[in-house]
Amino acid sequence: MIVPTDPDVRPCGLKTNDDSGLVATAFSRPSLSWRLDASRSDVSQLGYELELAPKPGFDPPSVATGRVDGGSPLHVPWPRDPLASREVVWCRVRVWTDRGVTAWSNPLRIEGSLFDAGDWLARPISPAFNAGRVEPGPVPLLRRSVAVSKPLATARLYVTSLGINEFWINGQCVGNALFDPGWTDYRHRLLFAAFDVTELLKPGENVLAAAVGDGWWRGNLTWMNRRAVYGDTTALLAQLELTFADGSRETIASDESWLGGTGKLRLADIYNGCELDIGQVPAGWREPGFDDSGWAPVVALPLPAGLEQRSMPPVRVVDSFAVPALPRGDGVLAIDCGQNLTGHLRLTVHAERAGTVQARHAEVLEPDGSLHTAALREAKATDTYRVPAGNFVLEPSFTYHGFRYAEVRLDPGLRLIEAEARVVSSDLPEIGGFACSDERVNRLFENIRWSQRGNFLAIPTDCPQRDERLGWTGDIQVFAPTACANADARAFLASWLVDLAQEQAPDGNVPSTVPNVIQGHEFEFGGVGWSDAATLVPWALYQAYGDIGTLKRQFPSMRRWVDYGASRLSAEGIWTGDFHLGDWLDPGAPPEKPEQATTDRDIIASAYLAYSAGIVAQTAALLAHNDLAGQYRALAERVAAATWRRWGDEALRTQTGCAIAIEFGIVPAGELAAAGAALAGLVERAEGRIATGFLGTPLVLPALTRAGRTDAAYTLLLNEQAPGWLYQVLNGATTMWERWDAIEPDGSIHSGAMESGGGSSMISFNHYAYGSVGAWLYRTLAGLAPGEPSYALIDFAPEPGGKITWAEASIATPFGPAGIRWERSGGTLKARLLVPPGARGQFRVAPGWALADPSAELRFGSGAHELLLVSE
Ligand code: BGC
């Protein structure tokens, strides 16, 4: 037996790559990660040992890896044969440092989920009246009683639905997820949840009860008003597995023995909202003793394909706060949440007599104080409640709204007692922080965070309010690096990427929305920038979290997209003539034709292909596919050279052209400074106004920094005129706007009229694409970036600018908390740095500064460090 010889260090936070928070793991071969807890500095891991056992005593372990040399505590491959369905394994780890071996970590319990279709006795069930019903209607309820006749040891509930579900046992909600099972490409894949429900069951009669909303399965989708995209029947799939103290087992599955009914939810649609008739609640229907003899029989459907456990956090109410409701002349209460958000209102109402309460929502107000609803297009975003006399807490189900403002209308005899805003989002741990001496920039950062919260809802969406809310690939492609710093988005985006690969066309082309629900529309394949989500989102996950597993899984999909692009190349090695959404919403484009940007889409297409081919080459090298690495590197170099040959001069005529050419390695190294000067010149001629759309925006500040012109980057960042980031802030934005000038300089609301939408409005106040500047705030303004994937090496490279006197950023990296704070006064700059155990740091001195002590170390191990710089 080895005695711990390094008592200052201990592995902690041992986890699998399943971040669902459910009782079981989605993966039969989960990877393992941990962190190091250390009471001294300069700690690194030299090796590790894992033990696995069926019991937490590890006496004896069934698998012991022995010492494995390796510095990384992240994404260590499963050291055993795959988990069986329902199998329980305990795992622990200890590590070797330069001082010796640590104690064992706390044990981690890992339970296999249901991995095979054969594990399911259950079938999807729908009340007969709900089957084949395309039109909106009452939300079906399902119930059955279960007798627990012997002492129970454990109980597991596996549950999902065609549509979105809520599930209760004896009236108690199981899990506190909303919108489960989320939105996947249901044709290929349906997620389920696994809960430990032992404590919810009692001896005697128990009742299982569920409601199934239309959700994405059958509800309204897209501005084309598609319904029943995945099917005309919503249904529940549930399996309760009881293990008794005597070792015997019983399975209760959704089948024809259940009964169906309806209740208060007369209608529920994601876009349109809910209609609830509170008087219709069949009292006690979720509890034992209810007379369900009048309920309808159910029909059972075949088991859906691709059942997999959810591996990411669910959607939840992540925040709530009281909001004022002020009477407006016309008998309406006006609500201003003070913050644009995604979620709903919870209203506490007193009714002297029966009546109706209605809540309508919008992101901005018209000049007369009424709601601006044109931006919602066809989405009604209205919740209506009919109540009898009494006191009620009213809340919608199976819907969400993007709003800051609301109007609540109550019939005479009804009084609002309290209103609360409930913020709804995929519940990802927020890991990043940023602040600086400029409050306007801090508000910008908060707006970015709010837009991430509001648009990370089951999938990464474009917006939360209008009849869209789709997984536009371009939006998340540009935003992913920022998203991954703000929150632990690994499992969330990794799950979505599975659907992206499944939705890829046979020729490798990637649809503009994943799940792809706009088939046949002229924008179904949006071209580069959108489709490059296939390559750049897995790459962003690898950079932020070292997630090599996702990279490996996505590698075929990444290649297919780049191969598709390569198949479109001319003999000269450039990509011309195809449709691309391009630098969408470039402020120089006609407002009604945002795809007609000022930067030639052929330049953008060729540059993107070169860049993505380079990412595929690097991925191939990481995965030891050396031949492929060489092939894709050659492709990248050939296309980059051809692009520069053909368009070198032209690219440097727009901010986006310069930014893409610089950031995507199109500009030859020797011409970088000249390209930077050209970009800085464009910024100057635009008087600091930004001239980029979705694709140029994430790149323009990094490009200026790369080319040594961070001064011009600050000019763009701090510009207050339209178009610009601070213009939005100074005009009251609390989330990122879709268009730079969504509120025009004269205070009016942009019409957003679109040619492709027959003049309909495209004007959202909650779109994160322009929030992609967040990555530069972390990396350059504050100076905290991944120098190596997963922040194994932390790159501290702050470049102070403008009148900003201090800045700080922190990120809970996979190794633990990393941080920087710098303060500038007079000609000195003091930087305090934090490197988590197991990681290393490097400091890069910004142009114009020098170390006060030239012998100070610029590369260091974990712990706190301080550096003093002087201006040159
Ligand atoms: C969406 C965008 C999307 C674009 C591309 C819009 O309607 O809201 O964010 O990327 O269409 O066509």
Side-chain angles (χ1 to χ4, degrees):
M1 158 147 164
I2 306 175
V3 180
T5 47
D6 187 349
D8 298 341
V9 179
R10 190 159 176 219
C12 63
L14 180 61
K15 63 197 264 305
T16 71
N17 55 330
D18 179 316
D19 286 349
S20 63
L22 295 168
V23 70
T25 167
F27 306 110
S28 60
R29 302 176 63 88
S31 68
L32 297 163
S33 300
W34 56 90
R35 300 188 309 275
L36 301 178
D37 201 5
S39 55
R40 63 178 157 86
S41 55
D42 206 9
V43 169
S44 53
Q45 172 185 306
L46 304 177
Y48 66 86
E49 177 174 18
L50 286 164
E51 278 188 357
L52 272 60
K55 295 262 157 56
F58 297 89
D59 190 20
S62 50
V63 172
T65 61
R67 178 177 166 161
V68 180
D69 286 335
S72 177
L74 304 178
H75 310 292
V76 170
W78 183 242
R80 216 202 70 166
D81 53 327
L83 283 167
S85 296
R86 308 179 187 87
E87 182 183 0
V88 174
V89 168
W90 290 81
C91 176
R92 63 180 182 174
V93 65
R94 62 180 166 187
V95 311
W96 278 262
T97 69
D98 57 350
R99 302 247 177 119
V101 65
T102 69
W104 289 103
S105 68
N106 286 333
L108 170 71
R109 183 181 181 284
I110 302 173
E111 176 174 322
S113 191
L114 302 187
F115 297 124
D116 301 309
D119 292 324
W120 290 87
L121 296 180
R123 292 293 175 264
I125 52 168
S126 163
F129 63 81
N130 173 66
R133 190 194 75 196
V134 173
E135 290 313 309
V139 167
L141 309 178
L142 294 133
R143 79 186 298 277
R144 92 153 255 189
S145 296
V146 178
V148 174
S149 48
K150 294 191 276 188
L152 199 58
T154 60
R156 294 289 178 266
L157 175 72
Y158 305 96
V159 60
T160 184
S161 46
L162 318 182
I164 43 185
N165 70 78
E166 285 174 20
F167 201 100
W168 300 268
I169 294 184
N170 299 328
Q172 292 210 49
C173 183
V174 181
N176 54 358
L178 302 173
F179 300 98
D180 249 7
W183 189 9
T184 48
D185 168 19
Y186 297 136
R187 282 169 283 241
H188 292 102
R189 201 163 84 100
L190 180 65
L191 304 181
F192 63 87
F195 300 104
D196 177 356
V197 294
T198 319
E199 298 300 318
L200 295 179
L201 293 160
K202 55 183 177 51
E205 189 193 352
N206 294 268
V207 169
L208 312 181
V212 182
D214 286 350
W216 299 280
W217 186 274
R218 186 169 71 178
N220 287 7
L221 276 182
T222 83
W223 63 96
M224 296 172 277
N225 271 324
R226 294 186 169 164
R227 272 193 69 76
V229 169
Y230 297 97
D232 58 12
T233 303
T234 53
L236 173 78
L237 178 67
Q239 183 155 309
L240 176 69
E241 298 189 354
L242 307 177
T243 306
F244 297 100
D246 65 7
S248 62
R249 301 172 63 117
E250 188 182 338
T251 298
I252 289 101
S254 51
D255 60 17
E256 281 99 341
S257 68
W258 294 52
L259 289 173
T262 62
K264 62 181 177 180
L265 265 171
R266 308 315 293 166
L267 207 116
D269 182 77
I270 289 180
Y271 293 168
N272 291 330
C274 281
E275 281 176 33
L276 287 99
D277 190 343
I278 303 299
Q280 294 280 329
V281 186
W285 75 275
R286 294 177 296 203
E287 278 140 53
F290 175 76
D291 176 12
D292 59 15
S293 53
W295 279 37
V298 302
V299 292
L301 309 174
L303 196 68
L307 282 165
E308 282 174 30
Q309 191 192 293
R310 162 161 64 72
S311 57
M312 59 178 163
V315 178
R316 291 197 176 102
V317 172
V318 295
D319 193 7
S320 62
F321 47 90
V323 291
L326 304 177
R328 240 184 41 187
D330 45 3
V332 164
L333 296 172
I335 288 181
D336 175 2
C337 299
Q339 170 64 53
N340 198 27
L341 57 88
T342 298
H344 61 260
L345 289 173
R346 173 189 265 184
L347 305 172
T348 308
V349 166
H350 171 73
E352 296 290 333
R353 54 179 182 270
T356 300
V357 181
Q358 189 178 68
R360 295 165 59 235
H361 308 77
E363 295 191 301
V364 290
L365 296 180
E366 299 289 356
D368 67 357
S370 63
L371 300 177
H372 172 82
T373 52
L376 306 177
R377 298 198 302 227
E378 297 286 310
K380 291 194 186 69
T382 301
D383 297 323
T384 308
Y385 309 88
R386 278 185 293 283
V387 294
N391 287 327
F392 302 96
V393 178
L394 305 175
E395 215 171 348
S397 299
F398 305 129
T399 189
Y400 68 90
H401 314 301
F403 69 107
R404 169 176 169 166
Y405 301 97
E407 284 182 5
V408 178
R409 209 172 279 270
L410 299 110
D411 277 352
L414 274 61
R415 190 159 49 83
L416 181 69
I417 297 170
E418 198 187 8
E420 205 182 90
R422 312 264 287 167
V423 181
V424 168
S425 174
S426 278
D427 191 10
L428 311 185
E430 296 201 340
I431 58 171
F434 167 91
C436 71
S437 61
D438 189 328
E439 281 307 322
R440 301 167 308 170
V441 178
N442 295 343
R443 184 65 237 189
L444 170 65
F445 180 76
E446 286 309 315
N447 293 357
I448 296 169
R449 283 194 101 112
W450 273 103
S451 281
Q452 177 164 351
R453 270 180 213 129
N455 281 299
F456 273 31
L457 198 150
I459 58 161
T461 64
D462 55 336
C463 59
Q465 74 299 84
R466 66 179 177 231
D467 50 7
E468 222 163 319
R469 317 184 195 187
L470 306 177
W472 286 95
T473 46
D475 304 43
I476 187 58
Q477 185 274 110
V478 298
F479 188 63
T482 301
C484 292
N486 285 337
D488 183 350
R490 189 195 58 77
F492 175 82
L493 292 175
S495 179
W496 178 76
L497 284 168
V498 173
D499 299 294
L500 182 145
Q502 278 170 342
E503 293 279 30
Q504 232 165 328
D507 62 6
N509 206 350
V510 179
S512 322
T513 63
V514 171
N516 181 8
V517 284
I518 63 164
Q519 291 102 330
H521 188 269
E522 58 179 314
F523 290 169
E524 180 181 357
F525 293 96
V528 297
W530 273 253
S531 303
D532 290 275
T535 47
L536 303 186
V537 174
W539 192 245
L541 297 187
Y542 178 60
Q543 294 303 313
Y545 313 114
D547 188 358
I548 188 85
T550 298
L551 206 53
K552 187 171 177 187
R553 192 196 62 205
Q554 295 301 123
F555 184 58
S557 152
M558 297 166 76
R559 283 185 65 194
R560 291 181 62 219
W561 162 240
V562 167
D563 292 349
Y564 172 81
S567 77
R568 308 298 302 158
L569 285 176
S570 69
E572 192 189 341
I574 51 176
W575 186 350
T576 58
D578 282 350
F579 172 75
H580 303 275
L581 291 163
D583 195 23
W584 181 256
L585 284 173
D586 154 3
E592 69 289 358
K593 291 186 218 158
E595 69 279 21
Q596 293 188 5
T598 50
T599 306
D600 187 315
R601 52 170 81 135
D602 291 341
I603 303 179
I604 298 178
S606 303
Y608 253 101
L609 177 60
Y611 185 65
S612 270
I615 298 294
V616 171
Q618 291 182 66
T619 305
L622 283 165
L623 301 176
H625 300 305
N626 295 336
D627 291 355
L628 290 175
Q631 277 171 37
Y632 285 100
R633 195 169 309 116
L635 173 66
E637 285 167 6
R638 174 170 158 248
V639 178
T643 306
W644 185 248
R645 238 188 343 267
R646 173 77 160 74
W647 290 297
D649 292 340
E650 196 179 334
L652 300 191
R653 287 199 200 113
T654 64
Q655 290 185 15
T656 291
C658 290
I660 284 186
I662 292 171
E663 282 302 283
F664 288 175
I666 308 300
V667 176
E671 296 181 55
L672 183 61
L679 179 50
L682 288 168
V683 171
E684 200 179 316
R685 280 199 287 290
E687 295 175 337
R689 292 182 173 87
I690 195 139
T692 55
F694 276 28
L695 299 187
T697 299
L699 306 174
V700 67
L701 302 191
L704 285 162
T705 294
R706 187 184 299 274
R709 292 304 307 268
T710 297
D711 58 319
Y714 275 100
T715 306
L716 276 180
L717 176 71
L718 301 176
N719 155 53
E720 296 183 348
Q721 308 304 314
W725 285 287
L726 295 192
Y727 171 79
Q728 295 193 354
V729 168
L730 295 174
N731 282 276
T734 59
T735 41
M736 301 304 299
W737 298 345
E738 176 176 29
R739 294 178 187 256
W740 288 114
D741 53 353
I743 303 282
E744 313 253 26
D746 67 3
S748 61
I749 302 167
H750 196 296
S751 82
M754 286 280 288
E755 192 178 84
S756 69
S760 73
S761 171
M762 190 188 79
I763 190 80
S764 139
F765 293 83
N766 200 351
H767 245 72
Y768 49 53
Y770 292 149
S772 54
V773 67
W776 188 87
L777 300 180
Y778 282 103
R779 293 174 180 196
T780 305
L781 199 161
L784 178 61
E788 284 174 10
S790 73
Y791 298 81
L793 174 69
I794 298 167
D795 188 33
F796 297 103
E799 294 202 30
K803 293 197 176 70
I804 295 173
T805 54
W806 62 266
E808 62 186 20
S810 59
I811 294 178
T813 73
F815 289 88
I820 180 168
R821 180 182 168 94
W822 60 258
E823 280 154 32
R824 172 162 72 153
S825 85
T828 64
L829 186 131
K830 192 157 82 177
R832 280 184 286 149
L833 317 168
L834 182 66
V835 179
R840 293 162 295 122
Q842 70 178 14
F843 191 90
R844 289 190 292 131
V845 178
W849 294 89
L851 284 173
D853 169 7
S855 67
E857 276 300 326
L858 291 179
R859 286 183 83 92
F860 30 80
S862 64
H865 306 273
E866 225 174 85
L867 284 169
L868 193 63
L869 309 185
V870 289
S871 68
E872 285 182 324

